Amino acid sequence: MASLLLALLAAVGLACGSAFAAPHPESASASSTVTAPVPDNAMDAVAAMQPGWNLGNTLDAIPHETSWGNPLTTKAMFDTVRAQGFRSVRIPVTWSNYQSAEAPYTIDPAYMSRVGQVVDWALADDLYVVLNLHHDSWQWINKMATDHDQVLARYNATWNQIATAFRNAPRKLLFESVNEPVFDNASDARKAQLLNELNTSFHSIVRQKGGENATRLLVLPTQVCTPDQGLMDELAATINSLHDPNLVATVHYYSFWPFSVNIAGYTRFDATVQKDMSDAFTRMRDTFVAKGIPVYLGEYGLLSDPDYTRPTDIVQRGEALKYFEAFGHEARVNGVTTALWDAGSFLNRNTLQWRYPGLSAQIKSGWTTRSGTASSDRLLVPKSGAIDSAAQFRGQAVSR
């Protein structure tokens, strides 16, 4: 497939500071500037979070914030994200790096303060923020089936500390119970039971902590955040049992796996790949959105592309553009709020420039329109001819 020429918009260039700023004495201070109120209705509030972006491979990195190649987070990064039209940021955090592995499972106060500082910067840009337990899921939570009491005690202690530290943060801060939860050495039925126990305990702890936690939006995942029908049914049952209007379902989507990693002949965004996507969004809509439960799709992208550390694309760029265009369309028509997974391959956090302006422009256009961004190419078709999907995708002026 010939490469497409896309009109590109240069991201705002801002200097990125490198000093580790002094931690705030109190997390999520009242000085955060919030200019737009959060809608009372959860569906409306989550809709206001579209589109979203992930501060990936940063506070979730192991063992430290810069261990996985990204610089220390700065306020300028959120300024750039906000200027590009994003309305929410997901801030993944791996707490175990700075937490005692024995009771009472104390989180280092300096680290809690650092997380609070980063959250404050995002809130000050009038961004919604999603804060979670991230790689803790496979570091120690995954052992819950064989070490139930200790894992549950640590999980509860972790959320007790977080919910207390951020209890006065504005409602634009959301809590996500756990990222991509997995449980080793357990049957499917046991896994469902364990996740229900974690989500239910999380809900109880946060609600009891007072302040804004009384009505804070709480984000609950399926197992591994997979949009499988059975797993979503299990989550829907948990949400319904809690009788709380401020709950949000979350899943992730990285496309049909062989296409996402470019193997087994799936080199094109073909009918099979398209159906996998449309079916996933239909399940989200029918299971949650149509029943008044908002969906925050906390991560999306392709598993192997783009990756700025490699000299060439794994997924052909034109096929990736079609994937992102269709993804934006499916999210819009099904009422799903999405957050781009960015581990440093989209926004260069040293220069605060987008690494692939054409790809970023395509993603951005997908927030509002069916077609791609404008192109300098023209497609000629007969007056009696139909305009095919390629013409629609390119967003070109069609001459007849």
Side-chain angles (χ1 to χ4, degrees):
M1 172 180 170
S3 61
L4 301 173
L5 296 176
L6 299 175
L8 48 93
L9 297 171
V12 177
L14 298 172
C16 177
S18 59
F20 194 117
H24 280 189
E26 181 179 351
S27 297
S29 69
S31 64
S32 298
T33 301
V34 179
T35 58
V38 179
D40 291 334
N41 180 273
M43 289 288 288
D44 294 339
V46 174
M49 296 169 65
Q50 176 71 353
W53 176 83
N54 273 270
L55 183 73
N57 284 19
T58 306
L59 291 175
D60 56 314
I62 299 169
H64 304 300
E65 186 174 348
T66 60
S67 295
W68 289 355
N70 285 310
L72 289 168
T73 305
T74 65
K75 173 65 163 57
M77 294 178 188
F78 295 118
D79 295 344
T80 299
V81 168
R82 175 66 183 185
Q84 288 299 304
F86 290 94
R87 295 294 177 262
S88 63
V89 295
R90 182 170 177 258
I91 301 178
V93 180
T94 301
W95 298 90
S96 58
N97 303 339
Y98 296 89
Q99 180 186 37
S100 169
E102 304 296 333
Y105 311 106
T106 302
I107 297 170
D108 181 355
Y111 188 65
M112 182 72 80
S113 188
R114 170 58 176 166
V115 174
Q117 180 183 51
V118 174
V119 168
D120 272 358
W121 285 336
L123 291 172
D125 271 320
D126 201 27
L127 291 160
Y128 286 79
V129 176
V130 179
L131 187 66
N132 74 355
L133 270 63
H134 204 75
H135 294 305
D136 305 83
S137 61
W138 57 262
Q139 286 190 306
W140 54 274
I141 293 174
N142 61 317
K143 301 176 178 64
M144 189 173 180
T146 54
D147 194 11
H148 175 275
D149 292 350
Q150 182 170 347
V151 169
L152 183 60
R154 183 174 180 179
Y155 178 84
N156 289 346
T158 303
W159 272 115
N160 264 295
Q161 293 172 78
I162 298 169
T164 298
F166 291 94
R167 65 178 167 228
N168 294 321
R171 196 163 167 259
K172 279 199 170 177
L173 174 64
L174 290 74
F175 294 153
E176 176 188 345
S177 64
V178 58
N179 171 71
E180 298 186 350
V182 293
F183 304 99
D184 299 338
N185 303 309
S187 66
D188 289 345
R190 179 63 170 153
K191 291 175 182 177
Q193 180 184 28
L194 294 173
L195 181 55
N196 177 71
E197 187 173 10
L198 289 181
N199 280 333
T200 302
S201 185
F202 159 76
H203 173 264
S204 177
I205 288 167
V206 175
R207 289 290 180 253
Q208 292 173 15
K209 288 303 172 184
E212 294 296 322
N213 290 332
T215 59
R216 191 177 305 285
L217 293 166
L218 303 182
V219 183
L220 307 181
T222 62
Q223 290 181 50
V224 205
C225 290
T226 301
D228 172 82
Q229 186 62 61
L231 301 181
M232 290 196 293
D233 287 342
E234 292 169 0
L235 177 58
T238 295
I239 291 175
N240 290 332
S241 73
L242 293 173
H243 305 290
D244 187 334
N246 291 303
L247 300 181
V248 181
T250 189
V251 295
H252 297 169
Y253 188 75
Y254 284 99
S255 189
F256 182 62
W257 187 77
F259 172 73
S260 193
V261 297
N262 193 30
I263 64 169
Y266 284 94
T267 60
R268 302 182 67 84
F269 187 65
D270 63 13
T272 299
V273 183
Q274 294 171 39
K275 186 176 187 302
D276 184 87
M277 178 186 289
S278 62
D279 287 353
F281 274 98
T282 297
R283 292 193 298 269
M284 295 176 215
R285 181 197 65 208
D286 293 349
T287 309
F288 298 118
V289 178
K291 298 176 182 177
I293 301 171
V295 174
Y296 182 76
L297 199 156
E299 295 181 17
Y300 75 90
L302 294 170
L303 291 171
S304 61
D305 196 79
D307 183 347
Y308 74 95
T309 66
R310 290 193 297 252
T312 58
D313 293 332
I314 297 298
V315 176
Q316 189 182 85
R317 182 50 51 89
E319 300 303 305
L321 290 170
K322 288 192 282 187
Y323 160 79
F324 282 106
E325 189 277 333
F327 181 92
H329 169 71
E330 289 289 348
R332 281 186 290 106
V333 299
N334 289 289
V336 173
T337 292
T338 63
L340 176 69
W341 177 256
D342 187 359
S345 282
F346 289 91
L347 177 63
N348 182 330
R349 297 183 204 163
N350 291 297
T351 66
L352 297 186
Q353 298 289 329
W354 297 99
R355 297 184 189 275
Y356 308 100
L359 178 56
S360 297
Q362 175 64 74
I363 292 171
K364 188 173 182 179
S365 72
W367 303 338
T368 58
T369 184
R370 175 72 251 241
S371 63
T373 54
S375 169
S376 60
D377 292 341
R378 294 178 67 83
L379 185 70
L380 302 178
V381 296
K383 281 188 177 182
S384 59
I387 301 175
D388 64 15
S389 60
Q392 182 185 43
F393 165 70
R394 290 170 185 153
Q396 297 158 345
V398 179
S399 297
R400 292 186 180 275

